[in-house]
C-alpha cells in the first residue's frame, strides 16, 4: 500500500478555508445517514487523506492535518498516509481527542467548519461544547468544501432500483412493523436513553419513547428504513440499502426516496401499507416548512423522536425544541432480534455459504499444494471464492470486500488486496480469508485461517490454538438473562491474555438479515458501549477473536482470525437461578484448519467441542457437494475427529 500524495488537495482545501474565514475543517467518514460503509461519492475522507479504511476522521487546519482511526487500521493507515498527515491512534492513552488536539493547535477564537449533513447530532453537541469551552466556534458550512476540491472527478450519486423483500424472507409484513412502531410511540416516556443490560426490554417491547401521544419517529439510518418497509437496494456496495429518510406518526408513514428508483411493484407495496412517497431531496425543506400532508393531518405531533445518529442538518431544520433524542430508536431494537423466519434463513444461507467456502479452500489446496502453482495472488483467490458463492441459491452479492491475506498481509486487520499491489498466496505461509455474502434469506460473515501445507511454525500454531480456544469458550457460553456482550468478551481473550497477547478489535458485531453485515445495537466488545444492550434470543452476532503479528526478527508476519456467526437462543439449564439463561447456536458451518492446531494446548472438552462441530459441518454441508469431488473429499478430511 503506497501512500497517496495529498499535497495539492490539501492546498486547495486550505485556500477555501482562508476564503471562508475558517481555521479548520472536519471531514468525517460517514455519509448523511451515518453509514459505516458508504457510496463512492461520499468517500470524502479517503479522497482528502488517501486512507481508505472504513473508520476514521480527518481534521485539516491551515498548516496541519491529522487523521484518527482505531486499532483495526493502525497498520493500514501508517502505510497509506503521506508525510502531510499525523496519524492519531484512537484508543491509545497517549492519543489526544480531536477536540483536545484542535484546542492545542488552533489560534484563539478559531472557526471550525463542518458539513452539518455529515455530523450526527450527539457528536455535534459534544464537539460544539468542547470548542466553545476552548474559545472556538463550530460553523455549519452548507456546501461541502471537500466536494468543491473534488470537483468533476467526484463519482455520481447512485440511483439504483429498489426491490421488495417478500414476507417469505422477511417474516413480518410492513403493516405489522408499522403497528409495532406506533405502539411504542403511543407509550409514555419512562426514562431517557438506552436501558442498561440488567434492565433490557423484551424484544417485543423496546424503549418507550414519548411523554404524550402524537409523536413522530424520524429515521435516517438506511438499514432501519430498508427493514421497516421490507425493501432492499444497492446504492452502497455490499449493503442492500437505498438512500432514503422516513417518518412514522400515529396515522402516517412517509418515505423520502427518489421516485425513479421505484417500479410499479414497489409503489403497490408501499400503497398497500399507506406509505406516502416524497422526493429524497425534499427532506430538509419538508421538515422546515411543515407542508407535508403528515404535518397537516398531525398537528398534534408534539415531538419528533430521533436517535443520536440523526444529522445536525435535520435537527436544525426541525428546530431543537421539536426533537426528542433517544439513544436507540425502536426500529433498531426490533431489527436486531430476528424472527423465526429470519433465523431459519440464516441457517440455510450459512449452509450454502459453507459449501462455497469448502469448495474454494479445496480448490486452493489442490492448485497450490497438489499442482504446486505459484501464480495465484490474493485477488485471484478472492475472485475464485466469489465465483463459488455466485452459484449458490438466493445469492445476491458479497457482504463486504473479501479480506484475502497471505503472510504479512493477514496482519492488516481490514486488508483489501489490489491487483498489482498484493501478494501471491504462499502455501508455506499462514493465509487469512475473511469473507461474506448477501443472500435473500440471510447475510454471512466468516473468517478462516489456513496453512495449506501444514508446516506452520510452533509460534503460529500456538497463537492459532489460543485464538481457537477463545472462540470455543465464547461459543460454549451459557449466561443469565440481562448479560451484555461486554461481560462475555473476556472469554474470547483469556487464552491469549495468559501469554501476554491480545487483539485490537471487538470480538463480535451484530449481523443484519440480508442487510448490513455490521449491525447494532448489540456487540461483544471491551468497549463500554456494549454494556448498554443485553443479548436476547434471536440476536445474531459474530464470534471472531484473532491475533495479528507484524514482521519481527524472531517471527515472520501473519494474521489469525476465526469467525462464526452465532445466534442467541434459550439455554436448557437444569436450574434457572434469577430467571432465564441463554446460549449460542452456531450458524456458520465451515471446518477449522487442523493443520494449525497444537493439540497439546487443547483440553478434552475443547477437543470434544471441535469434533462435534466438525461432525455437524459434515452432516449439513456434505449433501450440497458432489460425492467424491475435490470439495467433498476436502470436507471429509477436514471434519474427521482430531485424534482419529
Amino acid at each position: 500500500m503506497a501512500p497517496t500524495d495529498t499535497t495539492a488537495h490539501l492546498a486547495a482545501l486550505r485556500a477555501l478555508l482562508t476564503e471562508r474565514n475558517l481555521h479548520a475543517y472536519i471531514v468525517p467518514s460517514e455519509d448523511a445517514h451515518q453509514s459505516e460503509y458508504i457510496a463512492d461519492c461520499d468517500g470524502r475522507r479517503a479522497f482528502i487523506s488517501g486512507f481508505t479504511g472504513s473508520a476514521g476522521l480527518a481534521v485539516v487546519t491551515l498548516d496541519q492535518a491529522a487523521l484518527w482511526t482505531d486499532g483495526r487500521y493502525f497498520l493500514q493507515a501508517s502505510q497509506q498516509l503521506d508525510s502531510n498527515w499525523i496519524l492519531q491512534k484512537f484508543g491509545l492513552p497517549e492519543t489526544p481527542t480531536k477536540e483536545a488536539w484542535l484546542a492545542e493547535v488552533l489560534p484563539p477564537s478559531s472557526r471550525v467548519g463542518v458539513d452539518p449533513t455529515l455530523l450526527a447530532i450527539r457528536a455535534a453537541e459534544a464537539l460544539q461544547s468542547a470548542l466553545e469551552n476552548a474559545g472556538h466556534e463550530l460553523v455549519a458550512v452548507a456546501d461541502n468544501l471537500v466536494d468543491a476540491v473534488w470537483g468533476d472527478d467526484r463519482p455520481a450519486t447512485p440511483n439504483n432500483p429498489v426491490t421488495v423483500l417478500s414476507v417469505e424472507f422477511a417474516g413480518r409484513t410492513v403493516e405489522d412493523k408499522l403497528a409495532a412502531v406506533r405502539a411504542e410511540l403511543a407509550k409514555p416516556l419512562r426514562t431517557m436513553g438506552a436501558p442498561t443490560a440488567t434492565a433490557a426490554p423484551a424484544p417485543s417491547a423496546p424503549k418507550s419513547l414519548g411523554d404524550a401521544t402524537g409523536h413522530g419517529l424520524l429515521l435516517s439510518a438506511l438499514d432501519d428504513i430498508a427493514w421497516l418497509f421490507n425493501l432492499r437496494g444497492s446504492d452502497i456496495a455490499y449493503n442492500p440499502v437505498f438512500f432514503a429518510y422516513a417518518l412514522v406518526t400515529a396515522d402516517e408513514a412517509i418515505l423520502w426516496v427518489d421516485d425513479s428508483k421505484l417500479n410499479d411493484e414497489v409503489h403497490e407495496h408501499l400503497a398497500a401499507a399507506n406509505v406516502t412517497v416524497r422526493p429524497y431531496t425534499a427532506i430538509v425543506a419538508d421538515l422546515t416548512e411543515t407542508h407535508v400532508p403528515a404535518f397537516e393531518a398531525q398537528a398534534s405531533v408534539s415531538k419528533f423522536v430521533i436517535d443520536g445518529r440523526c444529522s445536525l442538518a435535520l435537527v436544525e431544520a426541525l428546530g431543537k425544541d421539536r426533537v426528542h433524542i433517544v439513544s436507540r430508536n425502536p426500529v433498531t431494537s426490533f431489527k436486531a432480534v430476528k424472527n423465526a423466519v429470519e433465523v431459519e434463513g440464516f441457517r440455510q444461507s450459512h449452509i450454502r455459504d459453507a459449501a462455497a467456502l469448502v469448495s474454494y479452500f479445496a480448490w486452493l489446496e489442490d492448485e497450490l499444494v497438489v499442482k504446486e502453482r505459484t501464480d495465484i495472488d490474493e485477488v485471484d483467490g478472492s475472485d475464485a471464492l466469489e465465483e463459488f458463492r455466485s452459484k449458490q441459491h438466493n445469492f445476491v452479492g458479497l457482504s463486504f470486500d473479501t479480506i484475502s491475506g497471505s503472510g504479512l498481509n493477514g496482519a492488516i486487520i481490514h486488508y483489501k488486496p489490489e491487483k498489482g499491489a498484493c501478494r501471491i498466496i504462499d502455501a508455506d505461509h499462514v493465509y487469512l480469508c475473511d469473507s461474506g455474502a448477501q443472500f435473500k434469506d440471510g447475510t454471512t460473515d466468516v473468517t478462516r485461517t489456513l496453512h495449506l501445507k501444514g508446516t506452520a511454525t510452533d509460534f503460529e500454531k500456538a497463537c492459532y490454538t489460543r485464538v481457537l480456544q477463545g472462540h470455543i469458550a465464547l461459543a460454549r457460553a451459557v449466561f443469565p438473562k440481562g448479560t451484555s456482550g461486554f461481560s462475555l468478551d473476556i472469554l474470547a481473550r483469556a487464552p491469549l491474555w495468559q501469554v501476554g497477547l491480545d487483539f485490537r478489535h471487538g470480538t463480535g458485531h451484530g449481523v443484519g438479515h440480508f442487510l448490513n453485515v455490521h449491525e447494532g445495537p448489540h456487540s461483544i466488545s471491551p468497549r463500554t458501549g456494549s454494556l448498554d444492550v443485553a443479548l436476547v434470543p434471536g440476536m445474531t452476532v459474530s464470534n471472531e477473536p484473532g491475533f495479528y503479528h507484524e514482521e519481527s526478527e524472531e517471527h515472520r508476519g501473519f494474521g489469525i482470525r476465526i469467525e462464526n456467526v452465532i445466534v442467541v437462543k434459550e439455554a436448557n439449564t437444569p436450574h434457572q437461578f434469577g430467571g432465564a439463561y441463554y446460549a449460542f447456536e452456531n450458524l456458520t458451518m465451515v471446518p477449522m484448519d487442523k493443520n494449525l492446531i497444537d493439540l497439546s494446548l487443547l483440553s478434552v472438552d475443547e477437543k470434544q467441542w471441535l469434533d462435534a462441530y466438525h461432525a455437524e459441518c459434515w452432516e449439513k454441508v456434505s449433501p450440497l457437494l458432489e460425492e467424491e469431488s475435490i470439495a467433498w473429499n476436502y470436507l471429509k478430511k477436514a471434519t474427521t475427529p482430531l485424534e482419529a
Side-chain angles (χ1 to χ4, degrees):
M1 294 183 180
T4 301
D5 185 355
T6 62
T7 303
H9 292 159
L10 287 172
L13 179 58
R14 285 170 175 144
L16 290 174
L17 293 182
T18 301
E19 181 182 307
R20 304 294 183 92
N21 189 28
L22 296 171
H23 301 86
Y25 193 69
I26 295 175
V27 187
S29 295
E30 295 78 15
D31 61 14
H33 304 271
Q34 292 298 298
S35 306
E36 177 186 10
Y37 296 103
I38 55 176
D40 291 343
C41 62
D42 291 315
R44 301 175 178 92
R45 189 224 59 226
F47 168 79
I48 201 66
S49 70
F51 168 62
T52 60
S54 66
L57 179 138
V59 181
V60 179
T61 72
L62 294 175
D63 56 5
Q64 295 190 63
L67 180 131
W68 281 257
T69 192
D70 62 40
R72 297 171 296 171
Y73 293 110
F74 289 170
L75 181 56
Q76 179 178 337
S78 69
Q79 295 175 347
Q80 289 186 319
L81 294 177
D82 68 6
S83 58
N84 290 304
W85 290 85
I86 301 167
L87 173 58
Q88 304 282 16
K89 297 182 177 181
F90 179 78
L92 298 187
E94 65 271 20
T95 300
T97 64
K98 64 182 182 297
E99 292 86 357
W101 185 78
L102 283 168
E104 179 182 348
V105 303
L106 289 178
S109 303
S110 288
R111 288 161 45 87
V112 178
V114 67
D115 182 341
T117 67
L118 305 181
L119 194 61
I121 183 59
R122 285 301 195 199
E125 291 174 339
L127 177 60
Q128 184 173 26
S129 175
L131 290 175
E132 289 178 353
N133 289 339
H136 306 307
E137 178 186 1
L138 181 66
V139 180
V141 182
D143 53 325
N144 191 286
L145 300 188
V146 174
D147 289 354
V149 175
W150 211 341
D152 294 339
D153 292 333
R154 183 179 173 230
T157 301
N159 192 40
N160 299 325
V162 173
T163 60
V164 175
L165 184 68
S166 69
V167 177
E168 170 193 359
F169 298 113
R172 295 178 69 182
T173 65
V174 178
E175 293 88 341
D176 178 39
K177 293 178 179 181
L178 287 172
V181 172
R182 286 168 176 146
E184 292 305 310
L185 290 173
K187 292 179 180 179
L189 179 64
R190 290 189 292 270
T191 56
M192 189 174 294
T196 64
T198 55
S204 59
K207 182 78 184 114
S208 178
L209 297 174
D211 55 3
T213 59
H215 295 305
L217 175 64
L218 182 63
L219 299 173
S220 61
L222 301 183
D223 57 333
D224 284 353
I225 295 167
W227 180 87
L228 179 62
F229 295 105
N230 284 352
L231 297 173
R232 297 295 186 268
S234 59
D235 283 345
I236 297 178
Y238 311 123
N239 297 263
V241 297
F242 53 95
F243 290 123
Y245 295 95
L247 174 70
V248 180
T249 70
D251 300 313
E252 300 275 354
I254 303 174
L255 180 66
W256 283 269
V257 61
D258 192 326
D259 189 69
S260 65
K261 299 174 186 280
L262 313 182
N263 60 21
D264 290 345
E265 181 189 11
V266 176
H267 276 294
E268 292 171 3
H269 171 78
L270 293 173
N274 294 316
V275 178
T276 300
V277 175
R278 291 282 299 162
Y280 175 76
T281 54
I283 178 68
V284 171
D286 284 350
L287 296 181
T288 304
E289 298 172 10
T290 65
H291 66 257
V292 184
F295 295 103
E296 295 175 3
Q298 280 290 341
S300 62
V301 173
S302 57
K303 291 287 185 180
F304 293 91
V305 177
I306 62 172
D307 63 28
R309 297 171 294 178
C310 190
S311 73
L312 173 63
L314 294 184
V315 172
E316 289 183 335
L318 282 169
K320 289 187 178 180
D321 60 328
R322 299 172 68 205
V323 301
H324 175 72
I325 305 175
V326 294
S327 296
R328 184 167 71 253
N329 76 65
V331 172
T332 300
S333 297
F334 287 138
K335 174 167 55 67
V337 182
K338 277 55 181 180
N339 60 54
V341 171
E342 290 173 319
V343 171
E344 184 58 26
F346 265 105
R347 291 189 185 105
Q348 297 306 317
S349 61
H350 275 76
I351 292 171
R352 298 193 303 275
D353 197 57
L357 277 157
V358 167
S359 297
Y360 168 59
F361 293 147
W363 171 82
L364 195 62
E365 181 183 73
D366 187 61
E367 295 295 316
L368 299 187
V369 179
V370 178
K371 297 176 182 175
E372 298 184 337
R373 284 183 61 181
T374 57
D375 61 342
I376 299 175
D377 66 26
E378 295 162 334
V379 173
D380 296 330
S382 174
D383 291 345
L385 175 53
E386 183 174 2
E387 178 65 21
F388 283 115
R389 275 198 166 106
S390 69
K391 298 175 181 178
Q392 300 299 320
H393 181 57
N394 283 334
F395 175 81
V396 177
L398 301 184
S399 57
F400 56 94
D401 279 314
T402 297
I403 301 170
S404 173
S406 180
L408 179 61
N409 285 347
I412 303 173
I413 296 174
H414 275 199
Y415 172 66
K416 178 185 176 182
E418 297 179 358
K419 202 68 175 177
C422 62
R423 295 168 64 102
I424 296 295
I425 299 177
D426 190 337
D428 285 314
H429 287 248
V430 172
Y431 174 60
L432 186 153
C433 183
D434 183 348
S435 64
Q438 296 287 4
F439 297 94
K440 289 182 180 179
D441 50 350
T443 298
T444 70
D445 183 3
V446 54
T447 309
R448 288 296 180 266
T449 306
L450 312 175
H451 197 289
L452 295 169
K453 279 193 175 179
T455 56
T457 67
D458 290 344
F459 180 61
E460 290 166 344
K461 286 185 176 182
C463 293
Y464 179 90
T465 306
R466 291 190 178 277
V467 171
L468 176 61
Q469 288 176 304
H471 180 98
I472 293 172
L474 182 57
R476 297 177 62 201
V478 177
F479 49 94
K481 177 181 178 180
T483 300
S484 70
F486 181 89
S487 302
L488 299 179
D489 182 81
I490 189 175
L491 297 174
R493 297 178 191 270
L496 288 164
W497 286 356
Q498 289 174 354
V499 291
L501 301 178
D502 203 351
F503 52 96
R504 286 195 179 103
H505 58 74
T507 299
H509 57 81
V511 181
H513 178 264
F514 185 26
L515 272 175
N516 297 355
V517 73
H518 292 166
E519 178 182 275
H522 58 290
S523 64
I524 300 174
S525 171
R527 296 179 180 176
T528 54
S530 66
L531 269 169
D532 294 337
V533 186
L535 298 172
V536 299
M539 283 183 170
T540 47
V541 64
S542 65
N543 172 5
E544 52 178 307
F547 175 70
Y548 311 91
H549 182 73
E550 298 180 24
E551 202 79 42
S552 67
E553 292 184 6
E554 187 176 2
H555 302 292
R556 60 193 182 188
F558 61 89
I560 293 167
R561 187 159 60 252
I562 303 172
E563 177 183 18
N564 281 8
V565 175
I566 53 183
V567 61
V568 183
K569 65 177 184 179
E570 297 274 355
N572 184 22
T573 55
H575 309 286
Q576 291 191 329
F577 178 85
Y581 281 72
Y582 302 146
F584 295 116
E585 172 190 340
N586 272 303
L587 298 172
T588 304
M589 288 290 129
V590 182
M592 316 295 184
D593 185 15
K594 293 184 291 186
N595 287 335
L596 277 165
I597 298 175
D598 181 347
L599 290 176
S600 68
L601 293 177
L602 293 184
S603 68
V604 172
D605 286 347
E606 289 166 339
K607 292 176 183 177
Q608 290 176 344
W609 182 94
L610 191 56
D611 282 343
Y613 174 71
H614 281 162
E616 186 179 7
C617 291
W618 171 258
E619 177 186 354
K620 292 182 175 179
V621 180
S622 61
L624 276 64
L625 304 173
E626 181 183 350
E627 192 168 344
E628 299 298 339
S629 65
I630 292 174
W632 189 89
N633 285 322
Y634 176 93
L635 180 63
K636 186 175 183 179
K637 178 181 67 174
T639 57
T640 56
L642 288 173
E643 297 177 317

